[in-house]
Amino acid sequence: AGAALKVAQELYIASPEFHVSSSNKLEAAVRPPRVEPAPNSPRDYKAIVVIYMDGGADTFNMLVPYSNCTGVDLFAEYTRVREAVALEREELDAIEETSGTQPCSVFGINAHLGEVTKLYREGDAAFIANVGPLIEPLTKQTYYDGSAALPSSLGSHDAQTRATQTVHAQEPSADGILARMLDSLAGQPAPYRVRAYSTAGETAFLKGARPYDTMDPYDGPVELAASSRLGSYIETMMRDASSSALGEMYSQAVSEMLPRLDELNDAYDSVTRPEGFGTDVLSRQLMHVARMISSRDGRRVEREAYFVELPRCNTHNSFKSVFDNRLEDANDALKSFVAEMERQDVWQDVVVVSASEFGRSLTPRNRGTDNGWGGNHFVIGGSVRGGQILGQYPSGLTDLSPLVIDGGRVIPQTSWEAVWDPIAQWFGVLPSDLDAVLPNRQRFLPDGLIAPHQLFKNYPSPPAPPPLSPSTPSSPSPQPPMALPSEPPHTPPPGSPPASPRSLEAGSASLPPSAPGQLLIISDESASTSWPMPAARSYDGRPWEGVMPRPLQIDCAAGPGPACAIVIPPGGSYRVDGYDESAAEPTPDKLAARFLMQATFGPTRETIRDLAAGASESVSEKMAAWVDDQIYRVPATLHRRYWRQRASPRVGSSAFTGGQRPICEPGARFHEFAFTQNDVGRTIEVTSNSASGMLSLRIDGVPRTDVRAFDLPAAVAPYVVCDVEERVGGAVEVGSDCSNAAGFANPSIDFAVPDLSLVRAVNASEATFVPLSSLGDTNLEVIILAGLHAPCTLATEGVDAFVRYQGKTYRHDWNRLMLVENTVESPSPHNASGSLSCPVVPRTFLNERTCKHRPECVPIEYAKTPFTWDADTLRAFYATSRAYVFFIDGLRLSEGDTPCDSESRWRRREGACTDAFPVSPTSRAALAKALRSRTRGLNPDVLDLDLPRDVCDDFAYSAEVLTGVRIDVDGVCWEHCHEDALNVYDATFAAEESRSNILTAARTGAANPFRELAESGGAMLYFPPEAGMNYWYDDERDALRGTVGRLGDRADFSLLPQQLQTAAMAAFLGAKDVRTLPLPTAPTIELSGVDGATGLTACVGECDADWQCADGLKCFSRADGEAIPGCFGEGGGPDWDYCYLPTYSAIVLSGEDDDEATELTACTGECDADSQCAE
């Protein structure tokens, strides 16, 4: 039974119902198997292999000016600009460039690419100089003045990867360039058999209308593990066609995938493994490509594309140790691949293209280079016209060059369109399809593209279109033009397709364009069992054009007149449909379809019929009924539960959305890398341990890891963290000024001698941890606490805690958000007294039928508890609750400030009460009088004055000062100070979560000043003297988030911000939860009163909100007739809510429902607001 259940679960996961959002309604028809059209006659084989240098390759160190340069010594300029990352001539292989179009006649190829140098000299390799993503031709002037279109997010790895791989820089969702080429070839009159493969996972290069297959970079093609057991069952599940667009798409894709996988694995296994390839990741990928090419005959393929990846080419922090190693790998892999292609006698049929999202900056950054733009790439192959550099290498490399912009980035002068245009034509793409394959192609004509004969040897003149079939004459006689008048040749309801679409025979048809307001579509009914596939269109009077992925061959220049010659391929079932959009009234079907497209994941024929049945004027009524049905009757299916269980962003300790997940709570996260984004703005301290010979890297005095070496220049110390890549080996950038930072690899956590107060060893009998899994990927560097099997011992005194598990050390990611689940079926066990926010939501019309009143989830309400903001109280907040609550001092008065402002702050000072400021005696007397009137206040240390106009003269400070004017008042000295001096702040967010200016300015390379102050028992945060006062104003607004009082003020614990009302602090101050207070023994009150009154007293009158109740009372919202505290009786019924005094004993409910009633007593009468209740 268990095995059968597992099979059922596997089949369910493979079903369309599991993968699509709309209802999968099956039809009676069986989907016919899709048959690839056989080629008309045997044709040649060609393949494109893209080597993608991931991360942005520094290709200006791949192709370097060497000698014989015109104008300037470009190699000397290269050496001067590139500084430490420049290559010496001894590190380059010299090559000749004889075209005369480049700034030098001798260039150098990086010596680590010896195979490319060899192919260049033999005439099988060419370089494309200064190539990159463009939308249109660009100059330095048009870049800066904004008159030219630019690719979005220049310098972004993700955005420029898409732009490079799609060659449609302004369209982020465009199909890949290789996918568009293959779609064009497969849609030709005599279609090619095409395939596409990636050995490096998903890639935009191959994303298009046709699926591509992925291979494991190490193991090659991967079989569907359950194919032998479940393949026949899955095929049966996918057999029937579906009326759901999404269900049909999924089923058809799976139906085509299974036999394709079988074919792929059979063909791969049928040929021997190529010899001579290395074990690095690129060599393994190219070995799989070579083996696939060897199996081409068995797969009956004519055109195919491969995507392989050279990983980790990013050189932010180290050029020599990173890029040179990558190029050595590339060289070894290419050498083996070229030899294998020559052995297979297909070297002339294969083109290898290198690419990267961008080049690097010419000017170095730290020990490496920054993200750039233009770069240099190679094209190699037996048919490539090698020994030349195409494109245009920059004639200058300094900032004065017409191509070099900010940061040493180079504006590309060659677009990727220029590279792929000749390759597409060599591959077999028809000239009429080039604009569809390269959407920006026209922008670079006539001189911005590379011609095919420039890039390829012996490139013939454009061939005539191939014959459509063996029995079709090479030049078929055109059929008479079809009669397509301005109105479709039928009289259907307005806006609907023709009742009898015109069929098109194979051959050449001459069709006029559409009329204004009309849409004509040629589609192939044989391409799909559900919908005809569009292949060409003309709309609103425009000429005919092909429609991807299988566009028809169209020539609108052949005539006659405005008509276009359209080649209709054999083997299909083509028809032309006309749609008239000029009609004023859309049909019911159209109204329904448009509504469902907007309101659902997609319509089906059945849902359209349900809404459209009947007269058109009833569709809107049915739409309204549909909306009501969705809101009130169809159960909600939300992602809320899934999301809340898995969401774990980092949050501050003062977050209101939830609490930080405790270390012993299942779901707690731990990471193997030493530094995280939490450390940005903090300082790494480096100390040596003579006993172990290791260096300890610490933050805030707490060790993060031990390393053998930390080779960063002293010039960037102190090592303030600027940026962190959260993975072992990721980049960590540090520096005293982040504009001049250095970098090192993020180390794993490893202590020579672990501190047992911080590191807990855990074995499998105590706890279970699982690796982080996201979207099918597993991150072994992050582990999740799945469960505890013994009392938890992981917690430490502070937030820094480590676990030693299965031979590795991990640090607790302490500030991850925990959202508890709270549903009707499973109410949360957590209440407001716990460490988490109470999971409550306001009552709305959507949830009022399912919400449950949970008394234990009522927010904690503490009784009034007075206390004084003094040093002992401030220290207690950290000791009890790890909250950083301080008062601020050291703030300076600015030039132009005056004690005579309408509002000013004064502080009490001990000692002599003198100053040197030129304030007149009259003004001093006026200030003394104002201060004397306020000294009777509750705060003995701080006074805030509100002065009337002209009470004193126009004195103002002439410079920034720390101590202001002093005034003696009856023997007590009062000093004018900054308006925020002695304010009390909750600095927890500033200390832990933000890039606080105080945190940065106060730092001396030692511990976090907030934490250091709290741990030392301090209560005063002294503003750093070296920090500008603008730092304070930014912090006060953004990081400290407002004051909670003044030093010496009397305050009420019950009125503090929620994050400070912790149970531990309440215990320290003696604050009581009103729910736990003993109830008075006063007699209960019988429910009475009316509905809707205000000023209601307890138990008198029905209420809906607290404002209907008298002062001191609240409106008790009850469910299912539950008892109201202090009231007894039935009153107006179980649905009536009554005012009550939270501290009263139970009163029997009584009273009437009177909307006008006021002064209602507890449990007497129905109230709607506090104003109905008595005091």
Side-chain angles (χ1 to χ4, degrees):
L5 176 61
K6 183 177 180 180
V7 169
Q9 291 172 333
E10 290 177 305
L11 290 173
Y12 173 68
I13 292 174
S15 69
E17 287 79 3
F18 181 80
H19 287 271
V20 303
S21 304
S22 57
S23 174
N24 186 42
K25 178 80 174 199
L26 298 180
E27 296 183 339
V30 174
R31 181 184 305 102
R34 181 167 180 168
V35 179
E36 288 280 355
N40 294 350
S41 59
R43 290 180 288 192
D44 60 352
Y45 168 83
K46 289 183 179 180
I48 297 173
V49 181
V50 172
I51 299 178
Y52 194 72
M53 299 178 173
D54 180 59
D58 196 341
T59 52
F60 275 99
N61 269 21
M62 195 163 73
L63 181 67
V64 178
Y66 193 90
S67 63
N68 295 354
C69 303
T70 59
V72 298
D73 185 344
L74 205 55
F75 180 78
E77 193 169 281
Y78 159 85
T79 303
R80 185 170 64 256
V81 170
R82 304 228 71 189
E83 299 177 3
V85 302
L87 301 177
E88 301 294 336
R89 280 196 172 98
E90 292 74 20
E91 298 175 279
L92 298 168
D93 293 332
I95 58 169
E96 293 186 356
E97 208 296 317
T98 59
S99 69
T101 60
Q102 302 298 337
C104 304
S105 62
V106 180
F107 280 79
I109 299 177
N110 191 301
H112 292 285
L113 280 178
E115 181 67 14
V116 176
T117 302
K118 170 178 171 290
L119 294 171
Y120 184 95
R121 292 170 177 168
E122 292 175 352
D124 285 354
F127 272 92
I128 312 294
N130 196 17
V131 61
L134 290 171
I135 295 175
E136 59 183 344
L138 189 66
T139 66
K140 196 171 187 176
Q141 177 65 34
T142 58
Y143 171 82
Y144 280 115
D145 65 23
S147 60
L150 299 178
S152 63
S153 303
L154 288 172
S156 162
H157 288 278
D158 289 344
Q160 297 315 300
T161 293
R162 287 193 302 269
T164 299
Q165 297 188 3
T166 63
V167 194
H168 196 180
Q170 69 270 40
E171 180 50 64
S173 60
D175 289 345
I177 175 59
L178 293 175
R180 294 199 299 269
M181 290 166 59
L182 294 173
D183 288 342
S184 171
L185 293 169
Q188 289 186 10
Y192 285 91
R193 292 180 61 88
V194 300
R195 287 288 185 268
Y197 303 94
S198 168
T199 60
E202 293 186 5
T203 170
F205 266 120
L206 301 175
K207 180 182 77 72
R210 307 179 65 83
Y212 64 92
D213 293 303
T214 58
M215 294 187 286
D216 184 87
Y218 292 96
D219 299 326
V222 179
E223 292 186 70
L224 178 63
S227 180
S228 60
R229 296 185 298 109
L230 306 177
S232 61
Y233 300 111
I234 295 175
E235 289 177 0
T236 301
M237 281 198 307
M238 307 301 168
R239 179 186 59 194
D240 295 331
S242 172
S243 62
S244 161
L246 298 179
E248 176 64 17
M249 183 182 299
Y250 173 83
S251 299
Q252 187 166 333
V254 173
S255 297
E256 295 175 6
M257 176 194 70
L258 294 175
R260 195 173 68 246
L261 283 178
D262 291 341
E263 177 190 272
L264 171 63
N265 283 281
D266 291 345
Y268 185 85
D269 294 338
S270 68
V271 296
T272 58
R273 176 191 173 106
E275 300 294 333
F277 285 86
T279 58
D280 63 272
V281 66
L282 184 62
S283 293
R284 286 177 176 269
Q285 291 178 78
L286 287 179
M287 185 275 291
H288 297 312
V289 172
R291 189 169 179 179
M292 289 297 297
I293 291 175
S294 179
S295 71
R296 61 193 179 278
D297 292 337
R299 293 181 291 116
R300 305 185 309 280
V301 65
E302 298 169 312
R303 295 289 186 270
E304 56 186 351
Y306 293 92
F307 173 83
V308 301
E309 184 177 89
L310 182 65
R312 301 186 301 279
C313 291
N314 189 317
T315 54
H316 269 301
N317 300 299
S318 175
F319 180 80
K320 295 287 185 184
S321 62
V322 174
F323 196 53
D324 286 358
N325 292 338
R326 300 287 84 76
L327 292 183
E328 286 183 5
D329 290 346
N331 187 74
D332 294 344
L334 282 172
K335 186 174 182 180
S336 302
F337 182 75
V338 172
E340 177 62 22
M341 294 300 95
E342 290 176 339
R343 188 193 67 78
Q344 293 185 27
D345 196 24
V346 290
W347 179 230
Q348 70 282 358
D349 302 320
V350 175
V351 165
V352 180
V353 184
S354 74
S356 188
E357 57 261 46
F358 40 62
R360 312 298 302 178
S361 62
L362 295 175
T363 53
R365 181 176 185 266
N366 305 324
R367 296 181 298 166
T369 50
D370 209 345
N371 297 347
W373 195 352
N376 309 297
H377 287 279
F378 55 76
V379 181
I380 63 177
S383 58
V384 171
R385 187 182 296 277
Q388 61 174 335
I389 299 175
L390 299 169
Q392 187 61 51
Y393 202 92
S395 59
L397 302 177
T398 69
D399 289 342
L400 299 178
S401 165
L403 296 179
V404 180
I405 55 175
D406 48 288
R409 294 182 296 158
V410 183
I411 298 175
Q413 286 299 282
T414 305
S415 67
W416 280 111
E417 283 81 359
V419 179
W420 288 109
D421 186 83
I423 296 176
Q425 296 187 59
W426 170 84
F427 209 39
V429 174
L430 296 175
S432 59
D433 287 352
L434 289 174
D435 287 347
V437 170
L438 296 164
N440 290 332
R441 179 175 179 270
Q442 290 291 330
R443 299 171 185 252
F444 297 98
L445 292 175
D447 302 321
L449 301 178
I450 299 172
H453 70 272
Q454 291 178 280
L455 186 57
F456 293 100
K457 307 168 187 173
N458 305 318
Y459 191 82
S461 300
L468 298 173
S469 67
S471 60
T472 304
S474 59
S475 300
S477 301
Q479 296 179 347
M482 291 182 61
L484 288 174
S486 58
E487 293 295 327
H490 56 280
T491 56
S496 64
S500 302
R502 296 289 298 273
S503 298
L504 300 175
E505 300 296 330
S508 179
S510 180
L511 302 180
S514 59
Q518 186 184 43
L519 169 67
L520 300 178
I521 296 179
I522 298 176
S523 53
D524 180 9
E525 294 182 284
S526 65
S528 171
T529 60
S530 300
W531 302 275
M533 179 176 289
R537 68 181 181 183
S538 170
Y539 60 96
D540 203 23
R542 289 175 170 81
W544 285 93
E545 60 186 16
V547 176
M548 298 296 279
R550 298 181 181 178
L552 295 179
Q553 184 178 347
I554 300 170
D555 185 359
C556 291
C564 298
I566 303 175
V567 178
I568 306 300
S573 177
Y574 287 86
R575 74 184 198 187
V576 58
D577 292 282
Y579 300 84
D580 184 2
E581 294 297 322
S582 62
E585 292 295 331
T587 65
D589 279 359
K590 191 172 211 177
L591 287 172
R594 182 169 58 189
F595 170 77
L596 292 169
M597 286 293 290
Q598 296 170 337
T600 70
F601 285 105
T604 65
R605 293 184 178 92
E606 182 180 1
T607 57
I608 291 174
R609 282 195 301 268
D610 290 343
L611 281 180
S616 62
E617 59 267 20
S618 68
V619 174
S620 60
E621 297 174 4
K622 291 186 177 181
M623 291 179 187
W626 184 91
V627 171
D628 285 343
D629 193 52
Q630 292 293 316
I631 293 176
Y632 294 112
R633 283 171 287 281
V634 177
T637 54
L638 305 176
H639 291 166
R640 177 180 180 273
R641 176 178 298 183
Y642 182 92
W643 180 83
R644 288 180 66 87
Q645 289 174 342
R646 291 162 177 81
S648 61
R650 293 192 175 104
V651 293
S653 60
S654 58
F656 291 100
T657 53
Q660 295 168 354
R661 189 180 294 272
I663 191 171
C664 295
E665 183 78 25
R669 287 172 64 146
F670 301 78
H671 51 80
E672 184 185 356
F673 38 86
F675 300 101
T676 71
Q677 281 289 322
N678 270 346
D679 300 319
V680 171
R682 291 174 164 83
T683 299
I684 298 177
E685 308 132 34
V686 184
T687 60
S688 61
N689 186 328
S690 57
S692 66
M694 305 285 282
L695 296 175
S696 176
L697 304 187
R698 297 168 175 256
I699 283 189
D700 299 339
V702 179
R704 288 297 180 84
T705 189
D706 293 343
V707 296
R708 295 195 175 277
F710 191 69
D711 299 326
L712 290 185
V716 300
Y719 304 121
V720 179
V721 180
C722 304
D723 197 12
V724 176
E725 187 178 0
E726 294 190 346
R727 63 179 180 84
V728 175
V732 179
E733 297 184 4
V734 298
S736 57
D737 180 355
C738 288
S739 64
N740 181 29
F744 64 95
N746 200 344
S748 60
I749 300 172
D750 189 16
F751 298 117
V753 181
D755 182 346
L756 299 183
S757 68
L758 297 175
V759 183
R760 305 285 197 259
V762 182
N763 59 45
S765 66
E766 299 171 289
T768 299
F769 293 87
V770 296
L772 176 66
S773 179
S774 176
L775 300 178
D777 293 331
T778 299
N779 184 354
L780 299 177
E781 296 175 3
V782 178
I783 59 174
I784 309 295
L785 176 62
L788 290 168
H789 316 307
C792 182
T793 60
L794 304 180
T796 61
E797 288 296 322
V799 298
D800 292 287
F802 301 81
V803 298
R804 181 75 177 170
Y805 184 73
Q806 294 187 351
K808 293 184 177 181
T809 303
Y810 301 86
R811 180 171 180 261
H812 179 221
D813 208 346
W814 60 271
N815 61 339
R816 292 283 179 174
L817 173 67
M818 178 176 176
L819 293 172
V820 297
E821 184 63 20
N822 181 37
T823 64
V824 173
E825 299 79 17
S826 178
S828 169
H830 297 277
N831 58 47
S833 63
S835 60
L836 303 170
S837 295
C838 194
V840 298
V841 295
R843 184 171 62 183
T844 69
F845 73 97
L846 290 174
N847 63 24
E848 62 185 356
R849 292 175 177 81
T850 56
C851 275
K852 289 186 177 180
H853 181 257
R854 297 284 306 279
E856 67 274 22
C857 230
V858 174
I860 291 179
E861 185 176 348
Y862 287 102
K864 182 177 181 179
T865 310
F867 70 96
T868 300
W869 284 117
D870 56 23
D872 288 341
T873 303
L874 298 177
R875 284 190 284 267
F877 274 101
Y878 181 77
T880 64
S881 311
R882 290 295 187 268
Y884 298 84
V885 184
F886 307 117
F887 74 89
I888 186 74
D889 205 352
L891 300 177
R892 303 183 294 277
L893 292 159
S894 301
E895 178 184 354
D897 285 349
T898 172
C900 299
D901 268 344
S902 59
E903 296 181 358
S904 59
R905 174 161 292 186
W906 299 76
R907 64 187 300 175
R908 184 169 179 158
R909 286 292 194 185
E910 301 296 331
C913 198
T914 59
D915 64 68
F917 298 110
V919 182
S920 68
T922 303
S923 294
R924 288 184 182 272
L927 290 170
K929 180 180 179 181
L931 287 166
R932 185 176 292 109
S933 69
R934 297 296 306 274
T935 54
R936 299 182 184 87
L938 295 177
N939 191 323
D941 299 314
V942 182
L943 293 178
D944 287 327
L945 291 186
D946 295 322
L947 294 175
R949 288 180 178 272
D950 304 323
V951 73
C952 59
D953 59 24
D954 295 331
F955 165 77
Y957 300 106
S958 59
E960 191 175 80
V961 295
L962 178 60
T963 59
V965 171
R966 292 185 175 185
I967 303 293
D968 184 290
V969 179
D970 303 328
V972 177
C973 185
W974 293 94
E975 177 185 284
H976 180 223
C977 59
H978 188 277
E979 62 184 351
D980 294 325
L982 305 186
N983 270 354
V984 176
Y985 292 92
D986 176 11
T988 307
F989 178 80
E992 297 177 348
E993 299 306 319
S994 74
R995 301 187 182 188
S996 162
N997 289 311
I998 297 175
L999 199 65
T1000 302
R1003 188 158 269 141
T1004 60
N1008 177 313
F1010 292 106
R1011 186 176 297 176
E1012 190 175 44
L1013 175 62
E1015 292 177 350
S1016 66
M1020 179 184 68
L1021 181 65
Y1022 199 85
F1023 187 72
E1026 66 273 18
M1029 286 302 296
N1030 60 304
Y1031 275 24
W1032 167 251
Y1033 296 116
D1034 289 343
D1035 258 10
E1036 203 275 338
R1037 179 184 64 250
D1038 298 330
L1040 296 175
R1041 298 182 171 182
T1043 180
V1044 294
R1046 301 176 307 173
L1047 187 69
D1049 275 349
R1050 291 287 286 170
D1052 182 356
F1053 182 76
S1054 67
L1055 300 179
L1056 289 182
Q1058 182 181 355
Q1059 67 269 21
L1060 295 181
Q1061 291 187 27
T1062 65
M1065 195 62 198
F1068 174 84
L1069 293 174
K1072 303 296 184 181
D1073 181 350
V1074 296
R1075 297 175 301 180
T1076 66
L1077 293 177
L1079 296 176
T1081 58
T1084 57
I1085 303 172
E1086 185 174 3
L1087 293 175
S1088 62
V1090 295
D1091 185 8
T1094 59
L1096 295 170
T1097 57
C1099 315
V1100 179
E1102 203 271 341
C1103 62
D1104 294 316
D1106 291 347
W1107 62 267
Q1108 292 179 271
C1109 300
D1111 289 346
L1113 303 183
K1114 293 183 176 296
C1115 185
F1116 186 91
S1117 297
R1118 60 177 178 168
D1120 301 325
E1122 63 184 301
I1124 296 179
C1127 307
F1128 70 93
E1130 294 298 327
D1135 295 332
W1136 275 32
D1137 300 328
Y1138 286 86
C1139 300
Y1140 78 108
L1141 183 64
T1143 55
Y1144 272 14
S1145 59
I1147 302 174
V1148 177
L1149 296 176
S1150 63
E1152 300 175 358
D1153 184 5
D1154 181 3
D1155 291 343
E1156 304 300 324
T1158 59
E1159 300 297 317
L1160 294 172
T1161 57
C1163 314
T1164 305
E1166 200 270 351
C1167 62
D1168 297 309
D1170 292 348
S1171 59
Q1172 291 180 270
C1173 299
E1175 294 186 2

